Amino acid sequence: MKQALLDFWNPLFSARGDFIAGAANAEARSRLADWPDWQGNCLVLVGPEGCGKSRLAEDWAARTGARRLDPLRPDAAAVRAGPVLLEDVDQGFCAEGLFHLVNLAPLGRGVLMTARSRPGAWPAQVPDLRSRLNALPVAHVEAPDDEILLGVLEDFLRARGIRPSPDLAPYLVLRIDRSVTAARDVVERLHEASARGHRPVTRALAREILEDETENLDLFDP
């Protein structure tokens, strides 16, 4: 049952497919809308894990027909044929391949990258790569604000067919990590606990789950 329960998640998108926009992703949405008129035909979405930058990148790729490339084995020539997307570049990349990709970007129609850190902090073993990385335009995606996190929680609950008490989502917003991943995980745990105990999804159930989590973390304290 565990695997079946995890199939549906689409961070920052509701069951209806609507994007949850807010101040935290406003800069990124604006810069993505400027495509293909990006400086040097490149853009890097930078933000913490779970902020929704991958969902934004996937939406852009679907809209533009961009080809997804592996940062460890990028086909630099692919950018000549059309837009390309590379995700989590700061987690590992081929320096020489990235150097050629950025150099060829002006000949193509767009290179979008995602990362948790700014390009200026990425390692640069290839000569002249440092200057290329420092010059890459960046759009920041902040951790979800209250508006986005509330919308994400409500949509995840709706996608699970859960009709929570009206005060549940606002209660959770104040008590979970500010990330789409945390919102997904707490709804998953609520869904499982509700099904297992045949209980309605309420603040009381949420309180039990969050207290259990805190107690489990205490077990690892020195």
Side-chain angles (χ1 to χ4, degrees):
M1 184 178 75
K2 181 75 171 179
Q3 183 60 43
L5 292 173
L6 291 172
D7 289 343
F8 86 106
W9 300 117
N10 285 309
L12 285 186
F13 275 77
S14 72
R16 302 179 308 280
D18 299 327
F19 185 77
I20 300 175
N25 54 45
E27 178 189 356
R29 287 184 287 111
S30 176
R31 298 289 291 278
L32 288 171
D34 289 340
W35 176 86
D37 299 322
W38 294 340
Q39 174 189 335
N41 275 37
C42 291
L43 181 66
V44 184
L45 297 184
V46 174
E49 181 180 8
C51 69
K53 58 185 179 296
S54 290
R55 185 67 265 179
L56 285 165
E58 290 169 6
D59 180 51
W60 174 84
R63 176 167 57 90
T64 63
R67 175 181 172 186
R68 184 185 294 272
L69 301 182
D70 182 351
L72 295 175
R73 293 177 293 276
D75 177 8
V79 73
R80 295 177 181 269
V84 297
L85 168 64
L86 297 86
E87 292 216 65
D88 299 319
V89 179
D90 59 330
Q91 302 303 300
F93 61 89
C94 170
E96 184 175 355
L98 187 63
F99 175 75
H100 291 306
L101 185 67
V102 172
N103 279 345
L104 290 173
L107 303 178
R109 300 186 61 233
V111 176
L112 178 64
M113 292 175 270
T114 69
R116 299 178 193 176
S117 59
R118 295 179 62 89
W122 303 351
Q125 299 89 354
V126 173
D128 296 329
L129 179 58
R130 169 56 54 217
S131 61
R132 302 295 193 279
L133 295 179
N134 290 341
L136 288 175
V138 170
H140 290 93
V141 186
E142 306 297 337
D145 54 25
D146 286 356
E147 178 185 12
I148 291 178
L149 198 57
L150 184 65
V152 168
L153 283 164
E154 290 175 343
D155 280 336
F156 282 166
L157 290 164
R158 185 184 303 113
R160 276 294 182 224
I162 296 173
R163 290 189 174 184
S165 55
D167 57 350
L168 176 63
Y171 174 83
L172 292 172
V173 163
L174 300 176
R175 290 165 176 83
I176 65 173
D177 290 342
R178 308 196 68 77
S179 74
V180 175
T181 302
R184 175 201 64 195
D185 290 346
V186 75
V187 171
E188 175 66 18
R189 294 180 66 194
L190 283 168
H191 179 59
E192 289 188 25
S194 174
R196 185 171 56 247
H198 303 287
R199 299 174 57 186
V201 178
T202 62
R203 272 183 56 168
L205 182 60
R207 187 181 302 112
E208 290 179 22
I209 287 174
L210 295 176
E211 287 176 353
D212 287 345
E213 182 178 74
T214 302
E215 290 174 3
N216 289 336
L217 288 175
D218 289 343
L219 294 175
F220 297 94
D221 288 342

